[in-house]
Each structure stands twice: as structure tokens, then as C-alpha cells.
Amino acid sequence: MLNSPVAERRVPAVRMENVTKTFPGVKALDRVSFDVDHGEIHAVVGENGSGKSTLLKLMVGAFPMDSGLIRINGDEVRLRSPREARKRYGIKIMPQDVELCGQLITGRNIMLGLEGALVDRNRLSRRERAMTTEVLRLIGAHVDPQVLGEDLSTPEARFIQIAHALLPPVNVVLCDEPTAVLSTVDAEALLATLTRIRSEAGTAIVYVSHRIGEVLQIADRITILRDGRSVGTFRRDEIDRQQMIELMTKSASAGKQGAPSQDAARGAAKGGRLAVRALGLGRSFSDVSLEVAAGQIVGIAGAQGAGFGPLLAAIAGRINYDFGSVELDGVSIPPGSTTKAYKSGIALVPADRRRAGIVPSLTVRENIALPVTGSLGRNGFRLRRAERETSRKFAEGFDIRGAGLNTMAGNLSGGNQQKLAIARSLQGDPKFLLLEEPTQGIDIGAKSEIRHDIGQLVRNEGMGALVASSEFEDLIGFSDVLHVMRLGRIVATFDGKTATYSDILHAALP
Amino acid sequence: MERTRGLLRLEVQLLFVLVFLYLGFSIIEPDIFISVRTIENLARQAGVLLVASVGQMLVLVVGGFDISVGATAGFASTALALLVDDFGLYGAVTAALALGALVGSVNGFVIAYLGVNPFVATLAMLTFLTGLSNELSSGASVPITDRGVSAFGADEWGPLPGTMGIGLVVVFIAYLLLNRVRAGLYIYAIGGGRETARLSGISVARYEVLAYAMCGLFAAVAGVMLASRVTLGQASLGAGLELESIAAAVIGGAAIGGGVGRLLGAAMGVGILTVLTSGLEIVGVSEFARQMVTGVVLVVAVAFNQRGRIGEWAIVKLAKSLLHGRVARSRGP
């Protein structure tokens, strides 16, 4: 057993009472009470900015709270640092980003922070090996502890983070959006593991997620936050999906989808047809053929690693391909040049928002104006007024909220960053928009807005959109045609209006 | 596992480059290069750079760099020369090394606790130490009166030149630190994933300070060795060591940005740089031209070091476009 048996079952592992935390200008948490028991999964849901992350960070002592108190196993404590929370009270956090120390072997990543004074960097001692084997067995992961961290896939790295969190002393494990970067298939495996750890090891688990479906699947209790306040705590059987969404968003309208009518769109079409013919690249994808017409939304569903990332990158000229061709209205676009693809009218909104979609250290205005700074200037000088006007038009069109044009893009919420990335990609007046994981890691309200925005572009501007996602539910009812990719090939094609979740899952499972 | 093999392959490649360079110079000047004395001289030269590069590699791995190592070496030599009359030889050497460690700790404190960028912090330290050393010595070089100082680099250590003997001791200490104790593991972990390390309960700042302190200590060791060879202390004695040490560590595979670096690679880097610069000197290339070569080698090493990131793409693309350009031109009329 990794967890010491708990004498009094009734005492919560962690209890927070009337906790308030204010940041300059924002009340992040307002008199929130929350508790989690041993052997329980307690989910926290809410839109971006509702205070979920702040709650987790207070629980690991990342910063002090303004008022309220924390009890651990019944005793009032003051957490001064993540180090103290971890070493003394066994409170571990699994951060949203999947990051391991790439140059260290997996076993060292699992043991990190628990070593004795003498360690062999490249090898585990017998005791350490026993501990890692035990914890890997508990979570059911089959990873060689000698493999370097950077050689692991994203799902494997996620499991290693769980293993890291489960080494003693362990009292509470806090999971911050653990499935955000995982495909549906890998997420299922992770949920099963968490459920088993809860039951077998009696660990208390706090689970923060945007994915309502999985919360309803694994949580014993659910707390809903809205604007820094607790709206209520429910047992799983007391609440359903629709009620949760209503409580999170204040209105039930968030479920609406911006599905455009194909016929209506045809009229305003910019014209053109993007054809991908028998495209292939090494082991990434092969023999992929598909077409996107103006005024059409084509979806690609698949597990992560199914190959749609490289496929979109190849179509947009970001990487080269080995076979096939990409044609726009019958004219083939030379491979491996983003400049040429961009000039032909193909714009990519990559999944890697912070690194490739926006420049976090520039303002909203500068981000939007970036692709056209040249044409907006005169004689090589930037014309700030022209930049401002162009960017304002787009910022308003996309309803980028909670921020002025001079806000640093890196400070925006995930949903607003995504909108900004899309707005930026529109600056070259593209005919076709390729979007990779456009709704990844953003809240439900923002997801439906993004879908709505894409729908608007297709319907009103007559653009064509190719949307690839590992979150299948975001494609259903949204795309006109829905392809399913598996192991680099298109294995099924559905009518986007009538496809069901289980159809897609069935086709996408390797 | 695969990656480990890849790194070993890098060191094999470096060994190949080293041998190739040496053979090249031997063909140009066989009388000079094929001799024990030349090899001894090269080893004597390399010992100093090896010590400085090992220290530099520690801070590179933790995710920073230190451009004050040359000034620290000069400061240590000055302190040694000034203190030797009052404290005796061993007292003065100990004091010089302790001052080096102190300088490194201050660098580490300013960077880790005050959040100052390593470039700014160590550039400021370089300037400060140069001023301090010259102030203490009234801007002149200070002769070392105790003849025994030659034991710290000038004399032979058995069959080895003294600097190389000391260099090997330093490498062994660094090996223990990096591969056998917790602190070394944490230095790699911090360089490879700061946030991960922090959330694992590691006090990141403390180990960053440790890395800089060791770098300062080793820079002072280099300074004592230089002082031993010329029997004087001088502010500018270690000038140039900062860039050469970064170049050697990076040629050896250490990544600017942190997390990666191996002692064997750094040692190879030292060997290559020493053979290259000394070799060029012997065949009559001017000092200024040698500086130009060092600069070019540093950039090329970093560019190759970026393999798998931007560098490979840039180089491959450049090569391809050159090739394509030539093909296209040759096809023309």
C-alpha cells in the first residue's frame, strides 16, 4: 500500500473553509469551502477564470490566501511552499503541462525529489527500482524506467507524472486538466487508472477538467465554481450534464453550435476547391485524399498521434511530404513552403498555440497586425493608426474579451488566445483555413464561441475550413463531412450531421 | 538508452575530429608535432582550460552561463599573490579558492534569488572583479615571492604536467558531483525542467547557487594554475577563458539553455580547441586570426548543437538551397 491506512474515515484529507484570494483587480476566490475525502475523486468544474486553478494552487501552497483556513486530516495548517505541501503533507499536484526532465531516465523522473544523498544519475538503486516498479504496477503502466524522459510519448509522460505523484508520502493528488493534451483513447485509460488508484490505494483525488463527460464518468462528488464562488457541491447522481453546463455558464445557451448551412454558404463562396491527393509522409501519414470546398467545413477526427497534425502541417507547407499533391482549383501548390501556401490562400492555425499560434510577448494589436505590418506601413515605417484600426476590427469581430488591444497576448485566457490565433491567420485573407485542435484545453463557453466563429467565417465569408481534433464531440454536428484518421490513414468518412460519437470512436480506436 | 548511445556517438565523433586535427598539423609540421614535448605543452595548456570548462559546464547544465570565469581567475591570482606573504603559500591558495567560490555564490545568489539574467549578472561581476583586482594591485602585476607556488601547475605531477594533474582531479570531483550525488541529479533536472523540479519539492535556487559556486571555485583553481606558471598575480591573467570555456563545453555537447552536458564531451571540446589554437600558432597564424577562428568555431559548434531543433533545419535547408541553386544554374543556358 502506498498510503497509510486512515483511522477515522470521516475526517477529510483536505478541507478548505471560507477561502478568499484576491489578485490585483480580481477576486479569484470568494469564500469558497471545499473538501476531499480519502478514497474519493472530487471534481472541480467551471469556465476559465472561475477560480479552479487558484483553488489548486492554494492547496499546494503556491501563494498565501487572504482569509480562510486549510485543514489537513483535521489539523489546521499553513502551507508556505509546494515543497512543504509535498514533503510534509503529501499533497502532490499534476500540472496541466506534460513536462518531464527529458535528459533524465524515466525512473529518475519518477523518483525526483525523493532521492537519498548519494544517487547514480543513470541507474536506479535496488530500493528505488522496487519503488518505481511498485508504483508503475499500481497504475498499470508499462514503461521501461531506463528510457530517457524525452523518448516517451505524451500519454506515457502523463502516466509517469501520475507515478511521480503517487510515491509516498501521498495524501492528496491534485490533477489539473490531466486529459487536456490526451486523445479520447488515452484519456479513457487515464480515467480508469485514477479510478483504480482511488479504490485500491485510498488516495484522495481532486480532479479539475473542462470535459464534462469524463467528470460525470469518474467523480464521486462535483463542485462547480463560477466567477470565484462555489455554486454548489453535488454527488454524481444528483446532477446531469445539462444542469452542470447551466450552473457553469449561468445560461443554457452555451451548448449552441455554429453549424452553417452548406447551401446558404455556397452563395457567398470565395470560390475554389482545395484538393489533397494521395498525400504521404514517412510513417506520419499515407495515401490521404480529401477535398474541401469553399463554404464547407470538413472535420478530421482521430486519436492523438493519428497523423492529422503532420497532415495539416504538410498541406500548409510547414513540413515537406514524400508523395501526392496539394491542389487549389486544379493548380498544384509547391510543397514545403509556408510562404507559397500562404500566398495561395491557405492559412494554418496550429495546435501549439503559445509557440506557433501567437507571440505571447507581443500585444493583441501587434499579434493581429504581425502578418500585415509590412503592407500597413509606409516606406518601411509602421503606421500605428492603421495597425490599431485593423486589429480593433478583428478584436471586435471575435469578441476577444477581458483585454484591451494593448494587453500582452500571453496574459489572455486559452480561449481568447485561440481566437487571437484565428484572427491573426485571417490577415492574409486566406481562402482556406486549416485548424488543428482548435478547442483543446479551453472551456465550454469558449469552445462554442470558437465553433461559432468558424461557422461565421465559412457562412459569411465563404471560406473553406479543415478542422482536425481529438475531441470528437466538438466535430459532431459541426462539420459537413467528417473523416476519421487512424494510424496515418483515413479509415472512415461520415456525414457530419448524422455521425454519432460511438461511430467515430469505433473507427478511431487503433 | 538510444539517446545515451547518441551522445556517446557524439564523443566518438569529437575524438575523430581531434585525431584528424592532430594528424593534419603533423603533416604540415611533422618535426614539431610528432614529439613528446609538444604533447606535453598541449596538455599543460589544456589543463587550465579543462578546469574552467568543467565549471562552465555545470552552470550551462543548470540553465545559465558565466562570463566572469576569466575575471574570477585573474582575481584569484591577484589575491594569491597579495596574500602569500602574510598567510603562507597554502593559506593564500586556500583563501584564493574560497574567494572564487564566494564570487560564484554571489553570481548564483543574484541570478537565482534576485532574478537577474545570467548574462547581466556575470557581466557585472566581470567588470566589478576586474576593477577590484586592479584596485588591490594598483593596476600592476604582483610577483609571487614563494617559489613553492610552482607546485600548483608549473611543476610536473609525476609523468603529467601539473595543470593536467589538477585538471584530472577537478574532473573527478565534478564526476562525483554530477553522477553520484543528489545535487548533480538536481542540477540536470533543473536545467531540463525547472517547473517540474520545483513541483517535485526541489529548492531550485539553492542548487543553482551551488552550480555557480562550483564554477567560481574551478575558475579560481584555473587562476591559481596560471599564477603558478608565470609566478605572478594579475587581473587580466584569465582573459579569454570565459569564451573559450563556453566554446569547449558547447563543442562537447552541452546545451545553452540547460539540461544537457557531459564531462567527457567537455574534455573533448577542450582538446579540440587547444589543438586548434596552439596548432595554428605553431604553424604561424597570427593571434588575431586565431581569435577569428575561435569565434567561428563557437558559432558552428552551437549551430550543430541545435540538432533536432532549428539548427539542423537551417543547415540542411541552406545546404539544399545551395545545391538546388547550383543545379538550377548548371541547367541554365
Side-chain angles (χ1 to χ4, degrees):
Chain A
M1 266 302 82
L2 289 161
N3 197 29
S4 56
V6 183
E8 318 100 305
R9 266 307 202 201
R10 305 300 309 166
V11 178
V14 176
R15 176 195 283 283
M16 307 181 82
E17 295 174 12
N18 284 316
V19 170
T20 298
K21 176 69 192 176
T22 314
F23 294 111
V26 195
K27 203 161 212 180
L29 283 179
D30 187 7
R31 282 164 290 144
V32 170
S33 293
F34 175 86
D35 64 79
V36 59
D37 291 329
H38 291 283
E40 180 193 46
I41 297 180
H42 192 154
V44 181
V45 297
E47 295 199 270
N48 280 349
S50 61
K52 305 182 302 271
S53 297
T54 309
L55 189 71
L56 289 193
K57 283 182 179 153
L58 286 178
M59 260 188 268
V60 294
F63 34 65
M65 49 192 165
D66 301 346
S67 63
L69 57 90
I70 299 185
R71 290 180 192 280
I72 292 172
N73 293 330
D75 303 324
E76 186 180 342
V77 298
R78 263 191 66 216
L79 299 173
R80 279 177 294 256
S81 67
R83 182 181 164 79
E84 190 182 19
R86 185 176 187 91
K87 296 228 152 149
R88 195 146 161 217
Y89 301 110
I91 302 179
K92 318 282 187 76
I93 188 163
M94 200 160 93
Q96 197 169 343
D97 301 320
V98 183
E99 197 196 354
L100 297 179
C101 298
Q103 289 296 313
L104 298 182
I105 58 171
T106 301
R108 282 273 156 254
N109 270 292
I110 296 176
M111 292 296 303
L112 198 58
L114 291 173
E115 302 81 3
L118 296 177
V119 295
D120 184 334
R121 188 157 51 82
N122 299 313
R123 216 164 286 116
L124 297 177
S125 69
R126 187 174 303 169
R127 189 181 130 269
E128 290 171 330
R129 186 163 276 277
M131 284 174 81
T132 51
T133 313
E134 160 73 13
V135 75
L136 285 172
R137 191 196 54 73
L138 177 74
I139 63 173
H142 303 282
V143 180
D144 180 357
Q146 284 298 130
V147 170
L148 281 187
E150 66 184 10
D151 291 336
L152 296 182
S153 68
T154 302
E156 282 173 334
R158 202 34 128 187
F159 277 100
I160 294 310
Q161 285 185 321
I162 302 180
H164 182 222
L166 284 175
L167 283 179
V170 59
N171 189 19
V172 188
V173 175
L174 314 177
C175 306
D176 192 0
E177 302 277 1
T179 57
V181 293
L182 298 185
S183 68
T184 306
V185 180
D186 294 320
E188 290 288 336
L190 185 126
L191 295 183
T193 300
L194 288 178
T195 310
R196 210 175 62 244
I197 292 163
R198 184 253 334 247
S199 320
E200 282 183 19
T203 311
I205 297 175
V206 180
Y207 189 89
V208 166
S209 179
H210 285 121
R211 296 188 182 179
I212 288 185
E214 61 186 36
V215 165
L216 284 166
Q217 187 185 336
I218 69 160
D220 299 303
R221 282 188 296 163
I222 299 163
T223 289
I224 299 172
L225 295 182
R226 187 174 71 210
D227 297 335
R229 289 168 190 248
S230 171
V231 185
T233 298
F234 305 88
R235 284 205 318 275
R236 176 175 32 181
D237 49 20
E238 289 175 338
I239 191 167
D240 66 19
R241 184 188 185 86
Q242 194 55 36
Q243 289 167 317
M244 271 173 74
I245 294 176
E246 279 173 33
L247 286 171
M248 281 164 63
T249 60
K250 295 172 232 180
S251 68
S253 64
K256 73 170 193 285
Q257 308 213 337
S261 143
Q262 202 175 333
D263 301 329
R266 283 282 145 89
K270 282 187 172 176
R273 176 174 291 268
L274 177 69
V276 175
R277 302 209 192 282
L279 217 57
L281 169 65
R283 289 163 63 193
S284 298
F285 56 85
S286 48
D287 200 24
V288 173
S289 297
L290 54 85
E291 291 199 351
V292 188
Q296 196 183 31
I297 298 177
V298 175
I300 301 176
Q304 245 175 23
F308 54 71
L311 175 66
L312 294 197
I315 298 174
R318 217 179 163 195
I319 56 175
N320 223 326
Y321 48 83
D322 301 334
F323 307 105
S325 64
V326 177
E327 292 169 14
L328 194 63
D329 289 333
V331 181
S332 91
I333 299 168
S337 162
T338 39
T339 318
K340 281 172 187 152
Y342 194 81
K343 284 199 175 131
S344 313
I346 297 175
L348 173 70
V349 183
D352 191 359
R353 267 200 294 277
R354 287 187 67 90
R355 264 192 299 181
I358 61 167
V359 184
S361 56
L362 293 183
T363 63
V364 169
R365 171 171 58 80
E366 288 166 329
N367 261 287
I368 293 178
L370 199 55
V372 286
T373 304
S375 58
L376 282 181
R378 189 179 296 154
N379 304 330
F381 289 98
R382 287 165 59 183
L383 284 181
R384 284 185 180 265
R385 194 200 310 203
E387 281 181 28
R388 204 154 45 229
E389 275 165 14
T390 312
S391 50
R392 177 171 299 138
K393 199 176 74 200
F394 276 89
E396 278 167 8
F398 277 90
D399 191 20
I400 293 177
R401 272 164 312 185
L405 288 175
N406 289 321
T407 307
M408 212 66 92
N411 294 340
L412 296 176
S413 70
N416 281 336
Q417 286 184 359
Q418 184 65 61
K419 288 183 193 175
L420 182 58
I422 296 176
R424 209 168 76 68
S425 70
L426 294 176
Q427 287 303 306
D429 201 20
K431 298 184 200 121
F432 289 92
L433 207 53
L434 315 179
L435 300 111
E436 183 189 356
E437 301 278 18
T439 54
Q440 187 174 69
I442 62 181
D443 66 59
I444 292 187
K447 272 184 184 179
S448 82
E449 284 175 23
I450 297 271
R451 280 196 301 254
H452 179 75
D453 288 340
I454 298 170
Q456 286 281 327
L457 289 170
V458 170
R459 189 165 39 234
N460 299 342
E461 311 276 333
M463 291 169 71
L466 182 59
V467 186
S469 179
S470 62
E471 297 176 20
F472 310 153
E473 53 198 41
D474 291 334
L475 295 171
I476 298 171
F478 171 60
S479 42
D480 300 302
V481 178
L482 185 46
H483 301 291
V484 179
M485 266 182 100
R486 183 175 78 204
L487 302 176
R489 290 171 182 276
I490 290 183
V491 290
T493 299
F494 299 101
D495 182 329
K497 298 283 180 293
T498 56
T500 67
Y501 187 79
S502 65
D503 287 343
I504 301 172
L505 188 63
H506 193 71
L509 279 174
Chain B
M1 291 287 252
E2 254 173 51
R3 182 61 182 224
T4 315
R5 244 180 275 131
L7 276 172
L8 278 178
R9 213 180 303 135
L10 171 74
E11 277 135 18
V12 173
Q13 285 171 4
L14 290 174
L15 184 64
F16 184 74
V17 172
L18 184 57
V19 170
F20 181 78
L21 268 178
Y22 200 83
L23 287 180
F25 283 120
S26 301
I27 290 168
I28 301 171
E29 291 276 0
D31 297 345
I32 300 178
F33 275 89
I34 307 176
S35 84
V36 177
R37 241 188 84 199
T38 305
I39 293 179
E40 267 180 14
N41 273 335
L42 287 174
R44 199 183 313 281
Q45 196 108 345
V48 178
L49 182 57
L50 179 63
V51 170
S53 303
V54 166
Q56 188 68 257
M57 199 194 86
L58 290 176
V59 293
L60 282 171
V61 168
V62 88
F65 52 87
D66 186 347
I67 53 176
S68 69
V69 293
T72 307
F75 175 60
S77 74
T78 309
L80 169 64
L82 289 171
L83 295 174
V84 74
D85 291 338
D86 294 335
F87 291 89
L89 181 62
Y90 289 95
V93 168
T94 310
L97 299 189
L99 284 171
L102 177 70
V103 165
S105 305
V106 172
N107 276 335
F109 177 80
V110 170
I111 290 162
Y113 286 95
L114 306 185
V116 177
N117 175 291
F119 180 78
V120 176
T122 57
L123 181 62
M125 182 57 87
L126 182 164
T127 312
F128 175 83
L129 283 182
T130 308
L132 179 63
S133 305
N134 279 320
E135 187 70 39
L136 293 174
S137 65
S138 311
S141 46
V142 187
I144 297 173
T145 46
D146 192 326
R147 282 294 165 83
V149 76
S150 63
F152 295 98
D155 294 346
E156 310 292 308
W157 279 30
L160 287 173
T163 57
M164 189 45 80
I166 294 172
L168 292 182
V169 171
V170 164
V171 167
F172 182 66
I173 292 170
Y175 168 78
L176 291 182
L177 172 69
L178 283 177
N179 295 293
R180 285 289 179 265
V181 299
R182 184 169 53 190
L185 172 69
Y186 288 176
I187 286 173
Y188 277 95
I190 292 164
R194 249 189 118 69
E195 197 55 22
T196 309
R198 201 175 71 85
L199 290 173
S200 300
I202 297 169
S203 49
V204 170
R206 200 185 299 168
Y207 290 97
E208 271 190 296
V209 172
L210 175 70
Y212 280 96
M214 294 301 284
C215 181
L217 172 65
F218 291 162
V221 173
V224 170
M225 290 193 287
L226 288 169
S228 162
R229 290 181 61 191
V230 295
T231 60
L232 51 81
Q234 192 183 13
S236 60
L237 209 53
L241 262 189
E242 55 282 327
L243 216 58
E244 284 176 21
S245 65
I246 292 176
V250 169
I251 290 171
I256 292 188
V260 192
R262 283 156 60 106
L263 287 168
L264 191 57
M268 296 285 182
V270 169
I272 290 174
L273 214 55
T274 307
V275 170
L276 187 65
T277 49
S278 306
L280 288 175
E281 185 181 359
I282 291 169
V283 299
V285 175
S286 78
E287 191 197 338
F288 306 127
R290 275 182 276 131
Q291 285 176 351
M292 291 161 65
V293 170
T294 308
V296 172
V297 167
L298 177 60
V299 168
V300 171
V302 175
F304 271 103
N305 207 333
Q306 302 286 315
R307 263 174 321 159
R309 278 168 259 158
I310 318 154
E312 187 185 30
W313 283 109
I315 289 169
V316 170
K317 269 189 183 166
L318 184 69
K320 272 189 180 167
S321 66
L322 285 176
L323 211 64
H324 279 293
R326 198 165 300 155
V327 172
R329 243 174 281 138
S330 64
R331 270 191 205 138

